[in-house]
Each structure stands twice: as C-alpha cells, then as structure tokens.
Amino acid sequence: MLGGAGILLGVAAAPAQAAEVSYATKCVPPAASGLDPVEGTTKVEITAPATAKVGDTVDVVWKFVQAASKNPDLIDLPKDSVQPSGTLKATGAQSADIAVQGPRQNPAIPKGGAMVLSDMKGTLKLTAPGEVTLTPDAYSINAYSTDTKCTPTETVKSAATINVTAGNGSSPSTSPDPSASASASASASATSTPTASASESGSGGSAGGDDGGQSDFPGKEVSVPYQCKTPIGDKSATSPVQINAKKDGGSYGLTVQFKKSVMDSPATIPAGSVKPSMEVALGGADKGTVHVEGPANTKEIKSGDPIEIPDLTGTYKPGASGESTLSPGVLTVEALGTTTTCTPAKSAVSLTLDTTEQAGGAAGGGSSSGSGGTSSGGASGGLAETGSDSHSTLKALALVAGTVTLLGGAVFTFMPRRRMR
C-alpha cells in the first residue's frame, strides 16, 4: 500500500497537506437493480505532499469524509464487502489521471446506517517543475460484484497543490497502487427472462400401479419460471428443479434439488444467515402442499468461494388414493435479514406417485402434516448461474435470494439527503 517502490527513491521530506472539497454528484446504480440515477453530495479530503521535486513519486490519498447517503433500509452490508475506486485529475505543471483505489475494508453496515468507505490511494510521478493541482473526479463503489458509478455534475474545486521544484524528470506517467488496480467489475445482472422448456409440459418421473416393493422414486428435472418478489422489486428468472421421493410406510420422504452449477459468492456471507424453504404443490388425486426446507449455512462462505444450496427435505403424507403429482411450488429464501418469495409462473410436474390415502394426509387445501427435515447428506444441488446459456437460470436466488446479487446494486442507491458528519 505504499504506492510503489518509487516511494523509496527519495520523496522530499515535506509536510503532507490535507484539503477538503465537496461537490454535487450523480450516481448510476447497476441496471440489474432497476433503480433510476440519483443525485447527492460527495465530500472528500485529498492528502498529498506540500512540496516535492521532479523525479519523485508521491503518494496521494482520497478520504471519504461524507458519503452521499446512508445505507438504504434494504440490507445489512457484511464486513469487508465494499470497495471504492476512482480517479484524481492532476493539472498545472503536468497533466495526468491518477488511479486510486481503497481496500475492500469496512465495518458491518446495518440497514439505514452511515456509509463507511475505505481510504483510496494512488501515486504520481512528478515530471515537471511548477504547481501541480489535484482534483477529485469520478468514482465507483463495488459491492456484490456490481458497480455504482458516480460522476461530478459541477466543476469541482482543486483539493491539493504540490509545489514541484526542479530536478531530473522524465516523461509524464502515473503509477497505480500496486496492491490493486481500479475496479472494472461488470454489473451483475440478476434478471433473466423465463423461458419454457419442453420438460415443463412432461408428466415427470412416475411410480404408477403396484410399486412391487420399490422404495426410491426419482423425479424428472423440470425448468421452473419464477416470478420473484424481492426487497427491491419484482424479478423473473428460471431454474431447473428435481423432486425425489423415498417411500416410508404409507408416507414419502421428499428431497428437492436445484440442479446445475452453483455461483461463486460475491461477498463473505456469515454462517447461519441463509435459510431456504419451499411449498411443494400437489395435484392429480391429492391436493394441498408439502413444506420442505434446507438447513441454514453452517459455515461462513468467503468471497469467491462456490455457493451451494442444500437439499430441501420434508415428509409427504398422502391425503388421497390415486395418481398424485408433485411440482415445485412457492420458494422462500430468508437471507441477511430480508425475505424473497418466488412463485412459479407455470406449473411443472417433476414426480407422479401412485398414492394411498393416509389418516391426516394432505388432501384438501392446506400443507401436509409432515414436518420439514434437514439435509439427508445426499448430493447437493445449487441454484445455477444466470447467463446466456439455454437455462437462463436462477442466479437471482443463488443462495442469497435477491439479497446479494439483486441488492448488490441497490445498497449504494444514493438518495438526496442533508449533509451528515
């Protein structure tokens, strides 16, 4: 973080100066957030040496004195999940764009709490004698793999001036902080268009007639188009799901798996902060729903590590005799203090069973009396990545259910507010 080995080559021993400047700013959230651009005020402090000589490489520091708003009342931001980057303009005796960036280092920021952004650092090699002024320019705030881009909407006053004395200079150059380069993360899109697949109209895996002692009934993978209610609005996405059953007397143990590859975590997710569940929809001879759920994540998921969603399990006690169907139903994911609820836009039968009515079974309109279970230790599925593949899958729900990917662009929605210290 010293800004390059050039700092060791003899920066003049001069006192550093720190100057504060504020300016009107327009911030554009990622397209995935569905939010309009907003305006606010940025207040920063720029620190640089008061004097130096040609040939020196000097450190410059951008400190956020005041962010344009508090953290919106949408989601708690985990510790070390936010990273700022930006550009300082050098003018006067020499002109250069100085790339500055801060570490992904912040305290946990609660909903409605004051934004805390790390100091951004960069370096400048001085190439000509005279006064060099430093002026803050555009910057980005990266969280959950998305960028909110902020640009000045007025002429910004210079924040610091370096008096450069003669020396052995060289051609103008800017040396970026070697610890990190300016953020160039593409905005993550968590919205995908539901696309019906041929498997949706199929009858799914079937266990018809006399089961002949069969106990395991694998279902059929079906693509389910979901309409999701998230803390930042309505979203649509599609995910492949499979329902399997294991007969136990007159009842069935159900396991619901989300198929295909999982996504990498865009930020560190604390243990015990994510809890998925589903209401499996019954049809055919039987009616009602069966509640299945998965355990909360037992370990912290570090940024960049794969996210895996556990199997959702529960018990189905038939309430009718005949051919009964099971389809993925309403999916609920509680994560980081928020709830996302997704309802299938189209029914897709994954499994058909030849059932026998049981006392206190599901037939009617309510949930099955069977209780939800925990992961049985079988193969874990994962909500697949949203992308241009044929599934256009449910990254919007990838474990964090709209609180990470969908809200990544919303947590830095800058609202017009009075200045706060």
Side-chain angles (χ1 to χ4, degrees), residues 54 94 125-128 168-174:
V54 173
Q94 73 179 85
K125 185 171 183 178
L126 302 173
T127 61
N168 294 323
S170 60
S171 60
S173 64
T174 301

Side-chain angles (χ1 to χ4, degrees), residues 211 214-217 244-254 286 290 314-320 326 351 353-362 368-371:
D211 61 28
Q214 180 180 357
S215 61
D216 293 320
F217 302 98
N244 302 318
K246 184 178 182 66
K247 193 169 185 180
D248 182 9
S251 299
Y252 296 86
L254 300 184
D286 212 348
V290 180
T315 300
Y316 166 41
K317 181 182 290 187
L326 291 83
L351 179 63
L353 297 171
D354 190 6
T355 59
T356 300
E357 181 180 354
Q358 304 293 309
S368 167
S369 59
S371 61

Side-chain angles (χ1 to χ4, degrees), residues 213-420:
Q214 180 180 357
S215 61
D216 293 320
F217 302 98
K220 179 180 181 180
E221 181 183 308
V222 292
S223 293
V224 183
Y226 280 106
Q227 300 294 326
C228 300
K229 298 290 185 181
T230 83
I232 61 168
D234 297 346
K235 301 293 177 182
S236 300
T238 300
S239 185
V241 185
Q242 181 173 329
I243 301 173
N244 302 318
K246 184 178 182 66
K247 193 169 185 180
D248 182 9
S251 299
Y252 296 86
L254 300 184
T255 301
V256 179
Q257 296 177 322
F258 286 85
K259 313 296 286 185
K260 303 300 180 183
S261 61
V262 300
M263 67 175 288
D264 290 339
S265 175
T268 298
I269 301 174
S273 61
V274 180
K275 181 73 172 178
S277 63
M278 176 187 283
E279 306 304 316
V280 175
L282 301 175
D286 212 348
K287 304 297 179 185
T289 60
V290 180
H291 181 76
V292 294
E293 62 182 38
N297 56 312
T298 58
K299 297 181 180 180
E300 178 183 81
I301 305 171
K302 295 189 178 299
S303 178
D305 286 353
I307 291 177
E308 294 183 0
I309 190 167
D311 294 344
L312 309 182
T313 61
T315 300
Y316 166 41
K317 181 182 290 187
S321 297
E323 192 175 80
S324 301
T325 62
L326 291 83
S327 305
V330 176
L331 175 66
T332 302
V333 183
E334 297 178 356
L336 298 175
T338 68
T339 299
T340 290
T341 302
C342 295
T343 304
K346 181 178 179 181
S347 178
V349 175
S350 175
L351 179 63
T352 301
L353 297 171
D354 190 6
T355 59
T356 300
E357 181 180 354
Q358 304 293 309
S367 298
S368 167
S369 59
S371 61
T374 58
S375 177
S376 62
S380 294
L383 292 171
E385 295 177 310
T386 299
S388 58
D389 59 35
S390 60
H391 294 286
S392 189
T393 46
L394 194 54
K395 183 176 179 181
L397 294 177
L399 186 63
V400 291
T403 63
V404 169
T405 304
L406 291 179
L407 291 182
V411 294
F412 293 109
T413 302
F414 289 80
M415 305 294 185
R417 295 178 184 264
R418 293 180 178 179
R419 293 181 180 178
M420 299 168 292

Side-chain angles (χ1 to χ4, degrees), residues 119-159:
D119 294 350
M120 301 193 296
K121 298 181 180 181
T123 60
L124 173 66
K125 185 171 183 178
L126 302 173
T127 61
E131 290 189 345
V132 176
T133 59
L134 304 176
T135 305
D137 196 48
Y139 62 93
S140 295
I141 302 174
N142 180 270
Y144 299 122
S145 299
T146 64
D147 287 330
T148 292
K149 297 183 179 298
C150 299
T151 307
T153 57
E154 64 176 340
T155 301
V156 184
K157 296 179 180 178
S158 62

